[in-house]
Amino acid sequence: MVPQAQVNQNGPAVFFPMRFRLRKDGLLQYISHLDFVRTMTKALVRSKLPLWFTQGFNPIPKITFAAPLSVGMESDCELMDVRLCEPTSPDVALKALRAVMPDAHLEVLDAYIPENKLSSIGYLAYDLCIAYDGISSAHAEEAERYLSSPSIVIEKTGKSGKPREVDLKPMIASATLKWDEEKEEIVGRWVLSASPDAFLNPDLLLGALRTHTPLMQCEGDVWYSLRRVEIYAPDLTVFR
Amino acid sequence: MTNEQKRAAVLRSVSKPGRYTGGEYGQIVKPDSEVRMRVAFCFPDTYEIGMSNLGMRILYHVLNQTEGVACERVYAPWLDMDSEMQKRGLCLLTHETARPVGECDIVAFTLQYELCYTTALHMMMLSNIPLYAKDRGEDAPILLGGGPCAYNAEPLADFFDIFSIGEGEEALPELCRLYMKMKREGTYSKSAFLHEAAKLKGFYVPSLYEISYHEDGTISAILPKYDDIPKKIKKRIVEDLDKAPFPEQFILPYIETVHDRSVIEVSRGCIRGCRFCQAGMVYRPIREKSPDTLSRQAKCLYDHSGHDEVSMITLSISDYSALGELTDKLLEWANPAHVGLSLPSLRIDSFGEQLMQKVSSVRASGITFAPEAGTQRLRDVINKNVSEEDLMRSAEIAFRAGKGSVKLYFMQGLPTETEEDLAGIADLANKVVDVYYSLPKSERNRSVNVTVSVSCFVPKPFTAFQWEGQDTLGEMEKKQEFLRSVIRNKHVRFHWHDARVSRLEAIFAKGDRRLSAVLALAVEEGVCFDAWDECFDFDAWMRRFEKVGIDPSFYANRQMSKDEILPWDMIECGVSREFLWREREKAYGEKTTPSCAEQCSGCGASECGGELRWCPKRK
Ligand code: SF4
């Protein structure tokens, strides 16, 4: 496929967009979004790909990320858009960036010419897994029942500092929680809204479950993992 | 729950978990099959600070290049992480392979400042390593210390097995090879190894030296326990910096650290002989890298990092003999790559117009000058060869170049200091402001602010002032009070350092091994991060000294006599004791000593060898 040139609104310079899909997991889930951005910026510079720099006094490469990932969350689908100043094939870009990545827990999975704007993402799918002392199948059942109730209202402190009530239910496309007898863990798959005007962070939902059900209520440490596994368009087809 | 799951739960709850993950770009992990020994290289402060240390970066690289050796990094966990770990009984792990530090063969600490001692010992405790060397069995790792504080590490003598004196690039691989050889040949036991290591050049094994004392508490003798180990331990240096190993790439932290940039080391040693400055003495003789080497190394670091800034490290950049050539060479590739250059603070006397232009064409790290003392008389005493004229001329150049803020560094409590010298500090600052107002409005920045930063003098081993006592705490605080009263210009900001911190530094800087008692007590009480405001508790320290029956003023405030045996007298740093005493006498005579560029004053450092650009040929 031959990448299409696009014209920058701020000036005449022509650029070629490229999208990378990354995996970020293991210990590197504890790297904040800002640090992730800095890391990828440096990696792109090292890759020697023909980066398009912003015009002006302090030129910087133009790099855009989809919905920031919280610290302590893993992902198979971090999207990063980069502007290049020369037409470059996705295969070449993929190889160049892969060669300069820091660690196996930060892997470039794919490179392609973007088909949709990052701002038109509809949903994100998460896999989760929970373990703690005193966990039981009853906890899973009760939590799942709560998730299927007609509304899930929580109190949120708004920007003004005033608490207000929000119903999370309309932002849940689907959500399960199942008991894994063998591992003694609770596992689930949640598909949550991720559009810019209605972004549901799974941590918020976990918090609600913790308040309203016995899930994760124990004296000692709670261990859990949350992993973004797929990105969907508003019509629930895979986003590209 | 597994330990791993416990750690995961902890990482979610602590601040900046990114400092504990490892897996950074450029870290070195050797396959197990290539590893015959492991060195845990510990920096006794936070990850953010440790990651910026050039010495550790070089030695990490050097050790990992040594066949059979795997070197892994370790940093002090911050307070929240520390308490979570202790609560769950989790031990300290290395960054690269998450291995318990206590399972490594050598645990090395770089000792950068006195106030990190408790942090180092605390890290040993977190690694389940017994504190006292005598309590550690054959299975326990060898505890190695190095860095600037190793020149007088006596307060740590009872805890560490061995110290590396001087530059470690050649010494540390040698020590590791000895270790592997003895293991392979089956001749290894801890005591046999330490005895052999004590014969290597540049290694000090404190347990092999017997210290005895006079009744008044001063030292009566320092004697080696064996005939075949040296009476005096000579420091090691790297002779030719152009050939010295230097990393091709740095480890790139994920999180923001103190200096997120590439760093090149322009030179070692200093041709100036400021009489209070330890670095200026112990890094002698002066050796430089060539512009070619430096530009190549900087470019290589850039290619492997993606950094947008290169910083040049040296004690005195303007004394570098090929500065113009170096900056030109660097700018040649740095400009097109959008990479900026930064220079460390400049000396006043050589801060010329031309350099200023280069500094502003690159990214200047701010205009700072260090006159150190307020009057010419006192500047002569400390051999800071800088005149008021120099300062004013440099300030004018800076203001004309559009700079609006200037930082001036001073010290209070220097030997022979009077009230006049202190008042001179305020004077100088006022005159700098006057220089600004003497310029036409069109040729200066819109506003001016001068920051006067005054630290307290700490007498250091291996300086002309090593025999001096520090002002008492009361005197130091009175002087700060006085300075506050005389600095009354609305364009001048006064910034002072906590005198109590300086006092504790002086105690440990000039301390001997009897101080181990107070350090052990502090660590038992959970003390660490003394260099951090949130942890520093001076009164608690004084209580501890009292409890163990040590008078801290014996170390900090006592004037030592010419012939007294100093606690660090078993170490030879190259610069001779006779030279230092001569310098001390000249200080009291208010006489200056020329820089090595003008004339050699026979400090003795040329005996260490090295590429002798400044020093006369050895006989
Ligand atoms: S030997 Fe002479 S030239 Fe060399 S460092 Fe010492 S004083 Fe300077």
Side-chain angles (χ1 to χ4, degrees):
Chain A
M1 181 164 32
V2 179
Q4 292 252 287
Q6 291 189 12
V7 175
N8 176 29
Q9 294 128 338
N10 302 330
V14 164
F15 64 86
F16 303 85
M18 183 69 66
R19 179 167 293 164
F20 294 94
R21 176 173 172 146
L22 295 120
R23 179 172 59 78
K24 178 172 179 274
D25 61 4
L27 280 172
L28 296 194
Q29 67 185 289
Y30 302 105
I31 303 303
S32 73
H33 180 68
L34 210 71
D35 295 332
F36 175 56
V37 172
R38 206 179 14 245
T39 299
M40 291 315 300
T41 308
K42 283 207 200 92
L44 283 163
V45 172
R46 289 195 300 270
S47 76
K48 302 277 188 266
L49 283 168
L51 298 181
W52 182 93
F53 278 77
T54 56
Q55 322 289 298
F57 185 67
N58 191 16
I60 48 167
K62 180 85 180 166
I63 304 165
T64 319
F65 291 82
L69 190 66
S70 307
V71 171
M73 235 183 251
E74 301 179 295
S75 176
D76 294 318
C77 52
E78 288 313 284
L79 299 186
M80 170 176 82
D81 279 7
V82 179
R83 287 182 183 179
L84 303 176
C85 56
E86 284 165 27
T88 308
S89 92
D91 281 350
V92 169
L94 184 63
K95 237 174 112 193
L97 189 56
R98 272 187 176 166
V100 293
M101 292 298 286
D103 190 80
H105 289 298
L106 203 54
E107 191 191 352
V108 194
L109 299 170
D110 198 6
Y112 58 90
I113 313 298
E115 291 163 21
N116 295 289
K117 280 199 179 132
L118 285 182
S119 54
S120 62
I121 289 173
Y123 293 90
L124 279 162
Y126 300 86
D127 274 353
L128 69 161
C129 185
I130 303 169
Y132 51 91
D133 285 345
I135 195 169
S136 74
S137 61
H139 290 187
E141 282 157 26
E142 220 171 304
E144 198 173 49
R145 214 169 19 248
Y146 178 77
L147 286 174
S148 61
S149 48
S151 71
I152 300 174
V153 178
I154 60 143
E155 220 172 65
K156 231 178 144 180
T157 345
K159 281 202 185 92
S160 59
K162 252 196 268 158
R164 62 192 168 93
E165 295 202 326
V166 189
D167 186 6
L168 304 182
K169 187 69 183 185
M171 291 189 270
I172 304 174
S174 62
T176 63
L177 281 175
K178 301 277 177 248
W179 173 241
D180 182 329
E181 184 66 53
E182 203 178 307
K183 290 194 186 142
E184 299 200 343
E185 289 171 354
I186 294 174
V187 295
R189 154 77 56 113
W190 294 355
V191 180
L192 310 178
S193 169
S195 63
D197 53 339
F199 186 90
L200 177 52
N201 189 329
D203 275 330
L204 204 61
L205 200 51
L206 269 181
L209 284 164
R210 200 172 195 164
T211 325
H212 297 286
T213 78
L215 191 77
M216 296 167 87
Q217 288 194 15
C218 75
E219 291 282 296
D221 287 330
V222 173
W223 173 84
Y224 66 95
S225 80
L226 262 170
R227 188 179 189 102
R228 273 186 191 169
V229 288
E230 193 51 89
I231 302 188
Y232 297 109
D235 63 358
L236 285 169
T237 58
V238 172
F239 178 88
R240 266 179 81 83
Chain B
M1 214 180 290
T2 64
N3 265 358
E4 234 158 84
Q5 287 180 339
K6 269 192 216 168
R7 270 180 209 281
V10 173
L11 281 174
R12 268 213 187 83
S13 68
V14 296
S15 59
K16 291 201 232 163
R19 45 190 166 182
Y20 309 111
T21 61
E24 306 97 320
Y25 185 72
Q27 76 169 20
I28 302 169
V29 182
K30 287 191 179 176
D32 281 353
S33 60
E34 285 176 26
V35 178
R36 289 188 6 243
M37 72 177 294
R38 288 184 192 277
V39 179
F41 206 124
C42 310
F43 193 94
D45 209 318
T46 60
Y47 173 83
E48 293 92 310
I49 293 182
M51 278 299 281
S52 304
N53 184 270
L54 181 63
M56 183 159 170
R57 281 168 160 169
I58 294 176
L59 293 174
Y60 176 80
H61 165 81
V62 165
L63 283 168
N64 276 314
Q65 277 199 330
T66 309
E67 208 185 311
V69 179
C71 176
E72 307 195 13
R73 296 160 299 142
V74 187
Y75 303 93
W78 185 239
L79 303 169
D80 54 354
M81 184 66 168
D82 187 3
S83 80
E84 296 293 329
M85 284 168 66
Q86 293 197 50
K87 212 156 64 194
R88 292 173 179 78
L90 298 169
C91 69
L92 194 57
L93 304 181
T94 64
H95 245 61
E96 276 73 5
T97 62
R99 191 176 304 269
V101 172
E103 288 174 15
C104 294
D105 299 291
I106 291 183
V107 175
F109 279 92
T110 172
L111 305 164
Q112 300 285 325
Y113 24 82
E114 291 80 11
L115 292 196
C116 76
Y117 291 173
T118 49
T119 313
L121 298 174
H122 184 76
M123 287 169 77
M124 281 165 65
M125 194 201 77
L126 279 181
S127 310
N128 302 322
I129 298 172
L131 223 48
Y132 280 98
K134 62 174 168 43
D135 297 337
R136 293 195 292 266
E138 288 294 324
D139 287 343
I142 300 282
L143 261 289
L144 166 69
C149 286
Y151 283 102
N152 178 31
E154 282 304 281
L156 295 172
D158 289 349
F159 309 120
F160 278 68
D161 296 303
I162 183 165
F163 291 102
S164 160
I165 310 296
E167 296 163 11
E169 284 106 323
E170 287 161 10
L172 296 193
E174 232 168 75
L175 186 74
C176 290
R177 280 193 287 269
L178 175 68
Y179 183 93
M180 289 184 287
K181 178 169 167 263
M182 291 181 78
K183 282 266 168 164
R184 192 176 52 231
E185 290 172 352
T187 51
Y188 180 91
S189 70
K190 192 173 241 172
S191 58
F193 170 69
L194 290 175
H195 190 164
E196 281 308 304
K199 297 178 198 166
L200 297 177
K201 189 177 174 200
F203 284 101
Y204 167 50
V205 178
S207 60
L208 299 186
Y209 293 77
E210 190 78 53
I211 318 278
S212 32
Y213 302 92
H214 292 297
E215 227 157 78
D216 65 1
T218 58
I219 295 172
S220 60
I222 302 176
L223 288 173
K225 290 184 182 166
Y226 299 102
D227 290 338
D228 57 356
I229 62 171
K231 275 209 178 77
K232 295 251 184 189
I233 296 98
K234 285 198 174 70
K235 80 156 178 215
R236 285 287 283 267
I237 67 157
V238 173
E239 298 242 355
D240 186 347
L241 284 192
D242 273 334
K243 296 203 187 97
F246 195 77
E248 284 176 2
Q249 78 181 75
F250 285 168
I251 299 172
L252 297 185
Y254 290 108
I255 67 162
E256 215 160 353
T257 56
V258 180
H259 299 304
D260 189 17
R261 57 195 183 199
S262 293
V263 173
I264 49 175
E265 190 187 18
V266 174
S267 66
R268 283 186 196 167
C270 182
I271 62 173
R272 317 272 156 180
C274 295
R275 293 182 176 129
F276 54 84
C277 177
Q278 188 190 43
M281 290 295 119
V282 299
Y283 291 120
R284 282 187 172 189
I286 296 93
R287 288 145 293 152
E288 296 186 339
K289 279 190 194 175
S290 67
D292 278 334
T293 307
L294 287 167
S295 179
R296 182 168 38 80
Q297 289 177 344
K299 177 74 170 44
C300 185
L301 285 178
Y302 163 71
D303 285 338
H304 286 103
S305 68
H307 276 143
D308 57 7
E309 188 176 340
V310 178
S311 174
M312 293 174 251
I313 284 205
T314 157
L315 287 173
S316 174
I317 184 74
S318 49
D319 288 329
Y320 178 62
S321 58
L323 186 58
E325 192 187 338
L326 173 62
T327 44
D328 289 347
K329 274 212 159 75
L330 290 171
L331 288 172
E332 210 170 283
W333 61 264
N335 263 348
H338 309 293
V339 173
L341 308 184
S342 67
L343 302 173
S345 66
L346 296 157
R347 283 187 55 84
I348 301 172
D349 49 354
S350 47
F351 186 84
E353 206 111 22
Q354 212 190 347
L355 191 56
M356 182 70 217
Q357 255 148 31
K358 281 213 175 106
V359 176
S360 50
S361 77
V362 297
R363 275 171 241 171
S365 49
I367 300 296
T368 57
F369 300 116
E372 305 290 2
T375 60
Q376 192 59 47
R377 186 201 68 81
L378 191 53
R379 284 195 294 275
D380 287 347
V381 167
I382 61 174
N383 202 40
K384 188 90 196 179
N385 295 329
V386 152
S387 69
E388 191 175 311
E389 250 175 22
D390 294 332
L391 174 61
M392 296 313 147
R393 188 169 34 82
S394 308
E396 189 184 325
I397 295 171
F399 287 136
R400 274 190 199 280
K403 304 280 165 190
S405 60
V406 170
K407 241 189 188 167
L408 302 175
Y409 286 101
F410 294 95
M411 241 181 250
Q412 64 160 75
L414 289 161
T416 79
E417 182 186 73
T418 63
E419 213 161 74
E420 199 188 325
D421 299 309
L422 293 173
I425 293 178
D427 246 28
L428 272 187
N430 292 340
K431 283 179 182 158
V432 169
V433 175
D434 292 344
V435 167
Y436 167 84
Y437 279 109
S438 72
L439 297 175
K441 270 204 173 114
S442 56
E443 287 173 33
R444 61 183 203 212
N445 191 296
R446 259 204 256 118
S447 67
V448 59
N449 78 75
V450 175
T451 306
V452 168
S453 177
V454 183
S455 61
C456 300
F457 166 67
V458 178
K460 294 268 180 148
F462 299 109
T463 65
F465 293 151
Q466 63 177 348
W467 292 272
E468 306 303 307
Q470 189 184 40
D471 278 348
T472 62
L473 189 59
E475 284 161 350
M476 288 195 277
E477 283 169 348
K478 233 170 65 202
K479 286 178 178 179
Q480 283 178 344
E481 208 41 60
F482 176 75
L483 280 167
R484 247 194 307 269
S485 73
V486 293
I487 299 178
R488 329 183 123 265
N489 185 323
K490 68 175 196 287
H491 299 293
V492 179
R493 256 205 2 237
F494 176 42
H495 180 266
W496 65 95
H497 290 241
D498 188 342
R500 298 169 309 165
V501 170
S502 308
R503 179 164 163 84
L504 199 62
E505 275 171 4
I507 297 166
F508 285 111
K510 294 188 65 175
D512 60 35
R513 51 176 76 177
R514 287 171 294 188
L515 289 180
S516 60
V518 76
L519 282 170
L521 179 62
V523 172
E524 205 177 287
E525 290 175 12
V527 175
C528 62
F529 287 121
D530 274 307
W532 293 76
D533 283 348
E534 47 268 74
C535 298
F536 183 72
D537 185 346
F538 185 71
D539 297 336
W541 272 108
M542 291 305 117
R543 275 199 300 280
R544 274 173 222 130
F545 278 109
E546 201 161 305
K547 198 162 164 193
V548 297
I550 291 176
D551 172 16
S553 61
F554 175 82
Y555 298 101
N557 306 115
R558 190 171 58 88
Q559 177 79 41
M560 295 164 135
S561 70
K562 182 184 179 192
D563 301 317
E564 181 173 337
I565 295 178
L566 307 172
W568 49 93
D569 260 352
M570 71 295 274
I571 307 293
E572 266 182 15
C573 83
V575 170
S576 71
R577 185 175 166 140
E578 293 71 33
F579 170 77
L580 293 175
W581 184 262
R582 269 203 316 273
E583 282 295 294
R584 180 194 180 272
E585 296 292 278
K586 281 172 92 175
Y588 278 92
E590 299 175 9
K591 294 217 166 51
T592 60
T593 297
S595 83
C596 301
E598 298 159 67
Q599 189 196 323
C600 170
S601 19
C603 76
S606 58
E607 297 299 315
C608 299
E611 182 236 3
L612 306 171
R613 187 189 291 279
W614 299 101
C615 307
K617 286 264 176 300
R618 266 183 296 170
K619 279 163 221 118

